[in-house]
Amino acid sequence: GIFLQAPGKFQPLKALKAIDKMIDMGAAADPKLLKAAAEAHHKAIGSISGANGVTSRADWDAVNAALGRVVASVPKAKVMDVYNAVKDITDPGVPAYMKSLVNGADAEKAYKGFLEFKDVVEKSAGGGPALSDASYPFLKEVDWLSDVYLKPLPDTTAPKVMKAIDKMIVMGSQMDGNLLKAAAEAHHKAIGSVDAKGVTSAADYEAVNAAIGRIVASVPKATVMDVYNSMAAVVDGSVPNNMFSKVNPLDAVAAAKGFYTFKDVVEASQR
């Protein structure tokens, strides 16, 4: 019955605002992941046993994994809006009181696990921040006003390039529609903040990377690799070497390392 009590002072209007933040976060979540999380909870409720109403360990694991994926599909700012709104209506003494009702050591172990889980979820939320921090110096060194991007790729043919483009179209058709829309909006916003050299702001660059991570993760790995392999077949080795020569090599290497880490994070959350 304690869960029906206000977590401190009774503040219905502030509680309503907290609920509104939860609704807003739910609306921003990936619908497919949200559905999977609902099904995981439904299954977990079905395996509840004992006087305390505890689900099975397997179903508990599945619920946590599903929740992690849902939260990772939402922009961090919206997640923090929920956290802060709930914090505002929760008395500071509540956590200590709840801890006093159970074995303290188990509570601390659970909390430690939660903090580690939070870090994993944050990293899997597209991996945008780490990549962005590592590659933004490189981004600013690229000559975005150059006409090199209009030049044809050396030692290839139009039919070969067309096949690579076809793989991109197939990949795009398999992306989650809502995430694709969000990625388009992130790019639109980033274009709006470009400076005279064609470089977007660090914040918008981070948002774009996170959005790209989410749409790529929504596509089967095999489809992503089809695009990679088709492009590898039409891009001569001289191209990356030429582009590399136009920037600070150390910044380029740092960007590459950030990308590989980003790739691993995206792959870990891929369907």
Side-chain angles (χ1 to χ4, degrees):
I2 194 172
F3 304 109
L4 297 177
Q5 297 179 27
K9 183 180 178 182
F10 182 57
Q11 305 174 85
L13 292 181
K14 289 190 73 173
L16 182 63
K17 289 183 179 180
I19 292 171
D20 177 58
K21 296 298 184 183
M22 297 176 194
I23 293 172
D24 188 41
M25 177 178 166
D30 182 307
K32 292 180 180 178
L33 297 178
L34 204 57
K35 178 182 178 182
E39 291 171 346
H41 279 79
H42 171 64
K43 186 172 183 297
I45 290 172
S47 70
I48 284 176
S49 63
N52 289 334
V54 178
T55 189
S56 71
R57 170 57 194 267
D59 287 341
W60 171 238
D61 285 348
V63 164
N64 283 321
L67 284 176
R69 295 186 187 101
V70 169
V71 175
S73 75
V74 179
K76 182 178 178 180
K78 290 186 181 293
V79 179
M80 293 309 299
D81 282 346
V82 173
Y83 174 87
N84 291 325
V86 173
K87 182 180 178 182
D88 286 345
I89 62 170
T90 302
D91 187 282
V94 170
Y97 175 72
M98 297 302 292
K99 181 180 176 181
S100 72
L101 302 180
V102 296
N103 182 301
D106 288 342
E108 290 179 7
K109 186 176 180 181
Y111 185 61
K112 181 182 178 182
F114 171 76
L115 293 179
E116 292 173 352
F117 179 64
K118 179 266 297 180
D119 290 340
V120 170
V121 170
E122 187 173 5
K123 288 180 180 178
S124 67
L131 170 62
S132 304
D133 290 344
S135 60
Y136 195 62
F138 163 77
L139 184 84
K140 292 189 290 184
E141 294 165 9
V142 174
D143 183 3
W144 297 108
L145 306 183
S146 171
D147 65 351
V148 70
Y149 309 107
L150 299 178
K151 298 183 183 299
L153 292 168
D155 300 322
T156 192
T157 64
K160 287 182 179 179
V161 174
M162 182 63 72
K163 288 182 178 179
I165 293 172
D166 178 57
K167 297 297 184 182
M168 297 178 195
I169 293 172
V170 171
M171 178 176 170
S173 70
Q174 294 183 14
M175 290 176 177
D176 180 280
N178 290 325
L179 297 179
L180 196 59
K181 178 183 177 183
E185 292 171 346
H187 279 78
H188 172 65
K189 186 174 184 296
I191 290 172
S193 71
V194 297
D195 59 19
K197 294 183 177 181
V199 179
T200 190
S201 70
D204 285 341
Y205 178 54
E206 181 178 319
V208 164
N209 283 328
I212 290 175
R214 294 186 186 103
I215 57 173
V216 173
S218 74
V219 179
K221 181 180 178 180
T223 305
V224 179
M225 292 308 300
D226 282 346
V227 173
Y228 175 87
N229 291 326
S230 65
M231 286 303 300
V234 299
V235 178
D236 186 83
S238 63
V239 173
N241 290 334
N242 178 51
M243 300 304 291
F244 187 84
S245 70
K246 298 177 182 297
V247 296
N248 183 315
L250 294 178
D251 289 338
V253 170
K257 287 182 178 178
F259 173 76
Y260 293 136
T261 300
F262 179 66
K263 179 265 296 181
D264 291 340
V265 169
V266 171
E267 186 177 6
S269 61
Q270 199 163 31
R271 68 178 177 86

